[in-house]
């Protein structure tokens, strides 16, 4: 992984070209050639290209990139923050990415770049586990940053039989089948690799049996190019097909895809292996390496909440119900969620601290993540209630262009102080957010991608420091009341 030829911040053109690299992408039983040219993926590719090109806009360049010691312009997403000002500038970059995509891209490149930051921060512990592994992590971060790679991760094991253990059936989890002079050979599968067809590399750093004795063969952290020999990528059904002329303004741009990864005796070079066989260290490292990516997720979710609040308000205004007390209460609930997220994000940044790896991280904010997963479905429910049946029935662009239909549409499908064309497009946005396959996928993503909600709450409870209040209460009840 040499950086001598790296050219820094990604451009849209480089991104499109980089996807035509021989990767083995499968969709609907057929192998896809050039991802950027395939109609099922083209809209998302173009959206990422637009976002990458923003890094070279003279008005945004200093907000989104900085000059590294190589002289390259490098994304702030990969920056290693050393103090409070670094952290502020880093997350100003995150906010720009998330606002430009309405909070719809859970795998905006900023997210996994911040996981790579965490991997670098954990390098000393990785080196202590096995000499050189931490050096691999630091070198990988630098290489990914100087090339501005889009990364994905794949953390879940296949859903075959969750009542069984991989110790009894090794096909239930990705495993190391052998070590060679060149690296480790992997066999098995991983899910759910969001962004897989559009990413340059995948990071794997979690397994469900990591801490079990005898499960060492399943414990491996590594990075792998998406075009690695033996790696097959199976994509789910696309959600952005316009079908019968109905536009999908969000799905057409932000369907970031999800995929199964099949590892058919894939060899990972040693320089791309960061941890091997040490289950306890893997569990310890999971929270450490996600310290920066968690904040990226919170900022993205805040922008998603702002989008819901704005769409809900505009829908209410378009049909003249924005003055109704019940609707105003619902809209106020949406705003309260957005404000709660904003304040919590600000608090996490103000609670920043120095890490053992020499970086500066935002404060612990896992509670915010579990709250976000909990309220996401309620947010969608509110917009559905406000839009009601209008979300289901709106004319297509072809309907609007029909001379025979247009007089009827202008009379019976217009809104309050808004024409039928603008109203129908607004409601199509609402449809994408809360009703069709894209909206349902986004809602499921919010619930699942932070991990098991019940288990997370239990961990939060066990970690929470109640001692100060409990000691005062013990003093209170130690004497007659």
């Amino acid at each position: 992984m040499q950086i001598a030829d790296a050219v820094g911040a990604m451009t849209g053109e480089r991104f499109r070209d980089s996807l035509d690299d021989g990767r083995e992408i499968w969709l609907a039983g057929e192998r896809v050639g050039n991802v950027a040219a395939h109609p099922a993926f083209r809209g998302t590719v173009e959206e990422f290209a637009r976002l990458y090109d923003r890094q070279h806009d003279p008005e945004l360049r200093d907000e989104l990139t900085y000059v590294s010691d190589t002289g390259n312009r490098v994304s702030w997403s990969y920056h290693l923050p050393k103090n409070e000002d670094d952290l502020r500038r880093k997350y100003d970059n995150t906010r720009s990415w998330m606002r430009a995509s309405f909070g719809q891209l859970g795998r905006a490149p900023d997210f996994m770049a911040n996981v790579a930051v965490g991997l670098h921060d954990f390098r000393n512990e990785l080196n202590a586990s096995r000499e050189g592994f931490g050096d691999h992590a630091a070198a990988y971060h630098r290489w990914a940053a100087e090339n501005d790679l889009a990364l994905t991760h794949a953390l879940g094991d296949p859903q075959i039989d969750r009542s069984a253990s991989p110790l009894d059936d090794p096909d239930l989890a990705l495993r190391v089948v052998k070590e060679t002079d060149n690296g480790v050979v992997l066999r098995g599968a991983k899910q759910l690799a969001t962004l897989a067809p559009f990413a340059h590399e995948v990071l794997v750093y979690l397994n469900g049996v990591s801490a079990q004795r005898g499960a060492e063969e399943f414990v491996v952290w590594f990075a792998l190019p998406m075009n690695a020999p033996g790696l097959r990528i199976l994509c789910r059904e696309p959600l952005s097909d316009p079908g019968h002329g109905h536009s999908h303004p969000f799905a057409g741009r932000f369907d970031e895809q999800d995929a199964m990864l099949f590892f058919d005796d894939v060899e990972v070079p040693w320089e791309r292996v960061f941890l091997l066989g040490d289950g306890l260290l893997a569990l310890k490292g999971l929270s450490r390496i996600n310290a920066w990516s968690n904040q990226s997720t919170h900022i993205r979710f805040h922008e998603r909440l702002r989008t819901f609040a704005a769409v809900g308000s505009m829908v209410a205004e378009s049909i003249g119900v924005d003055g109704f007390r019940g609707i105003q209460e619902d809209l106020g609930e949406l705003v309260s969620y957005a404000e709660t997220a904003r304040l919590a994000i600000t608090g996490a940044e103000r609670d920043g601290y120095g890490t053992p790896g020499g970086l500066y991280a935002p404060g612990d904010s896992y509670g915010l993540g579990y709250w976000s997963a909990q309220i996401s479905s309620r947010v969608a429910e509110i917009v559905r209630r406000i839009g009601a049946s209008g979300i289901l029935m709106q004319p297509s662009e072809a309907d609007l262009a029909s001379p025979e239909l247009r007089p009827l549409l202008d009379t019976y499908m217009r809104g309050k102080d808004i024409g039928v064309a603008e109203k129908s497009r607004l409601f199509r946005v609402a449809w994408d957010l809360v009703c069709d396959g894209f909206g349902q996928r986004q809602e499921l993503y919010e619930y699942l991608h932070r991990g098991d909600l019940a288990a997370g709450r239990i961990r939060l409870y066990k970690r929470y420091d109640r001692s100060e209040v409990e000691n005062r209460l013990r003093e209170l009840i130690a004497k007659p009341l």
Side-chain angles (χ1 to χ4, degrees):
M1 294 184 293
Q2 302 298 320
I3 63 170
D5 298 327
V7 293
M10 187 69 67
T11 67
E13 183 178 5
R14 272 176 55 208
F15 177 69
R16 293 185 197 93
D17 292 343
S18 70
L19 301 180
D20 189 14
D21 61 358
R23 61 187 61 197
E24 191 171 341
I25 304 286
W26 288 82
L27 177 67
E30 297 181 352
R31 183 170 177 177
V32 175
N34 183 358
V35 170
H38 195 283
F41 302 132
R42 189 181 299 123
T44 306
V45 171
E46 289 305 309
E47 179 62 22
F48 273 89
R50 181 187 71 84
L51 292 171
Y52 275 126
D53 278 338
R54 294 175 76 249
Q55 298 184 124
H56 302 273
D57 183 331
E59 295 185 3
L60 297 173
R61 186 179 65 177
D62 290 336
E63 178 183 351
L64 302 179
T65 65
Y66 67 98
V67 180
S68 76
D69 57 9
T70 65
N72 286 330
R73 280 270 172 186
V74 175
S75 171
W76 272 100
S77 300
Y78 277 106
H79 190 268
L80 300 173
K82 301 295 180 63
N83 52 50
E84 188 174 349
D85 186 60
D86 282 352
L87 201 66
R88 178 189 59 79
R89 295 195 65 181
K90 184 175 183 62
Y91 289 127
D92 283 347
N93 163 73
T94 300
R95 288 179 176 89
S96 183
W97 273 90
M98 302 314 175
R99 285 172 183 161
S101 52
F102 295 94
Q104 298 304 304
L105 291 174
R107 276 306 168 277
D110 182 80
F111 173 80
M112 283 302 298
N114 278 294
V115 174
V117 169
L119 196 64
H120 177 281
D121 186 65
F122 202 54
R123 65 195 183 283
N124 294 333
E125 288 85 346
L126 297 174
N127 267 335
S129 175
R130 190 153 169 175
E131 186 177 356
F133 278 3
D135 297 334
H136 297 170
Y140 183 78
H141 165 269
R142 182 173 173 81
W143 184 75
E146 292 289 339
N147 288 281
D148 202 11
L149 298 183
L151 308 178
T152 182
H153 68 188
L155 306 184
D157 299 322
Q159 263 187 336
I160 301 172
D161 182 357
R162 292 292 170 88
S163 69
S165 168
L167 298 178
D168 301 318
D169 181 356
D171 286 336
L172 297 180
L174 181 70
R175 66 192 188 278
V176 177
V177 293
K178 66 178 177 179
E179 298 183 21
T180 69
D181 292 340
N182 297 322
V184 297
V185 177
L186 304 176
R187 183 182 303 163
K190 273 289 185 182
Q191 65 177 41
L192 192 60
T194 299
L195 200 72
F198 313 115
H200 300 113
E201 304 234 348
V202 60
L203 281 174
V204 174
Y205 50 91
L206 180 65
N207 189 281
V209 294
S210 290
Q212 291 187 30
R213 182 173 298 175
E216 289 77 13
E217 67 182 300
F218 300 101
V219 181
V220 57
W221 288 11
F222 64 92
L224 191 69
M226 300 308 293
N227 64 348
L231 178 63
R232 292 184 175 90
I233 303 161
L234 176 63
C235 297
R236 61 152 166 77
E237 176 185 359
L239 304 174
S240 56
D241 184 359
H244 296 87
H246 288 278
S247 60
H248 290 261
F250 275 10
R253 295 169 59 186
F254 304 124
D255 183 10
E256 55 192 356
Q257 260 293 338
D258 306 289
M260 277 296 284
L261 305 185
F262 302 107
F263 296 79
D264 187 8
D265 287 5
V266 175
E267 185 171 67
V268 181
W270 283 118
E271 65 179 1
R272 290 173 165 275
V273 178
F274 314 125
L275 185 149
L276 193 62
D278 192 338
L280 292 178
L281 183 64
L283 290 178
K284 175 186 175 183
L286 191 59
S287 61
R288 276 280 299 280
I289 70 173
N290 282 308
W292 293 270
S293 62
N294 281 345
Q295 189 76 343
S296 175
T297 286
H298 300 329
I299 292 169
R300 194 266 315 158
F301 187 67
H302 175 236
E303 288 302 321
R304 180 164 159 81
L305 290 174
R306 292 180 70 222
T307 299
F308 270 92
V311 169
S313 296
M314 292 173 71
V315 166
E317 292 167 1
S318 76
I319 54 177
V321 299
D322 53 307
F324 295 3
R325 181 178 177 86
I327 297 297
Q328 290 180 345
E329 183 180 353
D330 283 344
L331 292 171
E333 185 177 343
L334 288 179
V335 172
S336 75
Y337 293 143
E339 282 295 278
T340 299
R342 180 184 65 83
L343 292 169
I345 290 165
T346 300
E349 291 179 20
R350 290 183 178 175
D351 284 349
Y353 64 95
T355 71
L359 301 184
Y360 194 80
D364 189 333
S365 57
Y366 280 96
L368 176 58
Y370 304 140
W371 171 84
S372 300
Q374 175 183 322
I375 66 150
S376 180
S377 61
R378 172 60 181 163
V379 170
E381 177 190 351
I382 290 173
V383 174
R384 278 195 293 267
R385 286 176 53 187
I386 293 172
S389 60
I391 297 179
L392 287 172
M393 184 61 225
Q394 291 297 324
S396 69
E397 292 293 335
D399 295 330
L400 293 168
S402 168
E404 291 84 5
L405 287 175
R406 187 59 185 256
L408 297 171
L409 304 182
D410 285 332
T411 301
Y412 299 113
M413 300 194 77
R414 71 190 192 280
K416 179 185 178 183
D417 302 324
I418 186 173
V420 64
E422 291 79 8
K423 179 191 172 188
S424 67
R425 292 163 191 157
L426 171 62
F427 273 74
R428 292 303 299 180
V429 171
W431 171 262
D432 268 7
L433 279 176
V434 303
C435 283
D436 78 342
F438 176 78
Q440 296 305 309
R441 181 268 174 194
Q442 298 292 80
E443 191 173 319
L444 187 61
Y445 174 90
E446 297 295 354
Y447 184 77
L448 294 176
H449 92 102
R450 297 169 182 88
D452 183 278
L453 183 57
R457 286 171 172 165
I458 292 170
R459 286 195 300 271
L460 195 64
Y461 163 71
K462 290 181 176 179
R463 292 170 53 189
Y464 186 68
D465 185 1
R466 307 179 303 277
S467 58
E468 189 272 334
V469 177
E470 288 183 358
N471 287 337
R472 286 191 286 115
L473 288 171
R474 288 190 181 95
E475 290 179 7
L476 176 67
I477 64 176
K479 298 173 289 187
L481 299 176

